[in-house]
């Protein structure tokens, strides 16, 4: 009789030749448990998804209640479905006035695809500006605006009309012109190793888009919902996007994404042609119910104000000659080490000792720290202790 691991390797598509092959039986709070009951601290929230931790009872209850009422009824946008309506209402209530129309998708990459289509349709322009070292997903359109040639070269040809600027470099903003349909940019770059832009840069970007009639798309798929210490990362910069991209933590653990714009901009998808963007499962009722519950928990339990203090504790504890820098804002951090080999050894030892972390696609010498927002100071101290032990262990063996 084959083991579950053997079946996984035989029947589930693999994305690398060296999957982690960890097996978990259950998850609760910031922990995941294997069959033997060993607890692993999830220090990356499933890559930014489980911001409330695992198994939040209010999210679970919302899922159960909705499953008992109905699941899929119709492709998105035709029926008035309570979970979609209530979730969109709640989202727009905490967003600026111009972000009033929500298009729910299945994932972040699909939100990117919809936003790029919307920008081209609304402006009538074809050129798109993105950033070097950006990451927006793995679909063809999202890959086209990824700023790392290594990950895209074997999939060409991709979308035409894409040009790239350097993130946080004001001089490059002049490449945004009256032929540019949109600029798509992460408010805080994720896979580049958590790069936080200057206030002056983000405000200059917004101004340049205004001057040229270019739509500004802010990708907050990783950075939204309190992770930076504010509900949305763009709030740190005193700007508002024309289109906002959300996913990951949006669903409280369920799969959902969204692109959000004004009614005026979003209305471009209704004609010439009609049904300008279609999704069958986008805004699934169960996912919307979970997302609404998760957002209410985040706000009602006042989790965001404590994020800055928790960031400060990580920074205080993660000090070592081997650590070149700790970058980020709030609970989305990168710990930079000398090289990938050292980073991978430290990550592997951390996992062996029950703390799960990871590296970044475009910055492989940096360690990812993005725990659930519910993590306590004591849990932070434990996780940092495991990381520091791993650093000491491998520095001695080099």
């Amino acid at each position: 009789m084959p083991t579950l691991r053997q079946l996984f390797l035989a029947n589930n598509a693999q994305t690398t030749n060296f999957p982690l092959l960890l097996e978990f039986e259950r998850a609760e709070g910031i922990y995941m448990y294997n069959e033997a009951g060993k607890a692993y601290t999830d220090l990356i929230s499933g890559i930014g998804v489980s911001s409330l931790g695992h198994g939040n009872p209010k999210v679970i209850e919302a899922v159960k209640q909705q499953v008992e009422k109905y699941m899929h009824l119709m492709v998105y946008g035709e029926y008035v479905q309570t979970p979609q309506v209530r979730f969109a209402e709640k989202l727009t209530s905490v967003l600026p006035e111009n972000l009033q129309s929500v298009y729910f998708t299945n994932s972040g990459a699909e939100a990117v695809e919809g936003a790029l289509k919307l920008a081209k349709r609304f402006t009538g322009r074809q050129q798109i500006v993105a950033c070097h070292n950006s990451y927006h997903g793995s679909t063809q359109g999202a890959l086209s605006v990824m700023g790392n040639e290594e990950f895209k070269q074997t999939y060409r040809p991709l979308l035409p009309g894409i040009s790239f600027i350097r993130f946080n470099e004001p001089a490059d903003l002049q490449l945004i012109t009256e032929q540019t349909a949109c600029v798509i940019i992460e408010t805080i770059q994720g896979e580049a190793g958590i790069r936080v832009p200057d206030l002056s840069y983000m405000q200059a970007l917004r101004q340049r888009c205004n001057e040229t009639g270019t739509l500004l798309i802010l990708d907050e798929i990783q950075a939204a919902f309190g992770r930076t210490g504010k509900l949305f990362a763009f709030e740190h910069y005193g700007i508002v996007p024309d289109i906002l991209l959300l996913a990951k933590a949006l669903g409280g653990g369920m799969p959902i994404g969204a692109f959000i714009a004004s009614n005026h901009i979003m209305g471009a998808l209704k004609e010439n042609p009609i049904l300008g963007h279609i999704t069958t499962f986008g805004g699934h009722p169960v996912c919307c119910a979970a997302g609404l519950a998760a957002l209410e928990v985040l706000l009602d339990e006042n989790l965001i104000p404590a994020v800055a203090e928790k960031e400060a504790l990580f920074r205080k504890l993660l000090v070592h000659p081997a650590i070149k820098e700790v970058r980020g804002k709030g609970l989305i951090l990168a710990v930079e080490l000398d090289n990938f080999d050292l980073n991978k050894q430290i990550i592997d030892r951390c996992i062996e000792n029950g703390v799960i972390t990871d590296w970044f696609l475009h910055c492989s010498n940096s360690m990812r720290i993005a725990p659930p927002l519910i993590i306590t100071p004591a849990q932070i101290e434990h996780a940092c202790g495991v990381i520091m032990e791993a650093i000491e262990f491998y520095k001695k063996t080099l």
Side-chain angles (χ1 to χ4, degrees), residues 102-124:
V102 182
Y103 195 117
F104 288 118
T105 62
N106 297 285
S107 67
E110 290 184 39
V112 171
E113 298 285 345
L116 295 178
K117 286 177 62 178
L118 176 59
K120 293 166 79 172
R121 174 66 186 87
F122 179 78
T123 64

Side-chain angles (χ1 to χ4, degrees), residues 31-260:
Y31 300 110
M32 298 181 289
Y33 299 87
N34 66 14
E35 288 186 350
K38 179 180 177 179
Y40 291 78
T41 299
D42 186 359
L43 207 59
I44 53 176
S45 303
I47 314 296
V49 171
S50 305
S51 284
L52 300 180
H54 299 279
N56 182 279
K58 293 182 180 178
V59 175
I60 290 174
E61 182 59 28
V63 169
K64 288 180 177 178
Q65 289 186 11
Q66 185 55 44
V67 166
E68 291 176 351
K69 294 176 180 177
Y70 59 82
M71 290 187 279
H72 177 76
L73 298 181
M74 180 57 165
V75 298
Y76 185 65
E78 293 297 318
Y79 293 170
V80 179
Q81 300 185 49
T82 299
Q84 293 175 351
V85 173
R86 294 304 183 202
F87 193 19
E89 178 190 33
K90 186 67 175 182
L91 278 170
T92 57
S93 75
V94 296
L95 283 166
E97 290 183 1
N98 69 303
L99 297 174
Q100 61 203 190
S101 182
V102 182
Y103 195 117
F104 288 118
T105 62
N106 297 285
S107 67
E110 290 184 39
V112 171
E113 298 285 345
L116 295 178
K117 286 177 62 178
L118 176 59
K120 293 166 79 172
R121 174 66 186 87
F122 179 78
T123 64
R125 304 174 184 179
Q126 299 179 352
Q127 296 180 13
I128 295 171
V129 170
C131 283
H132 292 295
N133 291 323
S134 61
Y135 180 81
H136 299 287
S138 291
T139 52
Q140 288 281 299
L143 195 62
S144 299
V145 293
M146 179 194 286
N148 188 316
E149 190 61 29
E150 177 184 356
F151 285 91
K152 59 200 280 188
Q153 59 185 354
T154 56
Y155 300 104
R156 292 191 178 278
L158 296 168
L159 289 181
I162 313 291
S163 58
F164 290 88
I165 59 176
R166 293 170 295 173
F167 187 76
N168 205 34
E169 288 289 342
D172 286 10
L173 298 180
Q174 293 305 309
L175 297 174
I176 303 167
T177 72
E178 293 181 354
Q179 282 72 53
T180 307
C182 63
V183 176
I184 180 168
I185 184 172
E186 297 158 273
T187 312
I188 292 176
Q189 280 197 322
E191 296 309 312
I194 315 302
R195 309 289 174 171
V196 180
D198 297 332
L199 171 64
S200 59
Y201 173 78
M202 294 301 284
Q203 292 185 342
L205 169 63
R206 176 69 271 183
Q207 181 61 32
R208 183 61 181 166
C209 288
N210 291 345
E211 292 169 354
T212 58
T214 300
L215 296 186
L216 175 58
I217 302 175
L218 289 185
D219 180 342
E220 296 211 1
I221 290 168
Q222 287 197 54
F225 298 109
R227 185 146 297 281
T228 66
K230 289 188 180 292
L231 187 56
F232 300 101
F234 66 78
E235 296 178 50
H236 292 286
Y237 299 99
I239 64 170
V240 177
D242 298 297
I243 304 175
L244 178 66
L245 306 181
L246 302 172
K248 292 192 181 293
L250 177 66
M254 294 291 284
I256 191 170
F259 58 102
I260 306 175

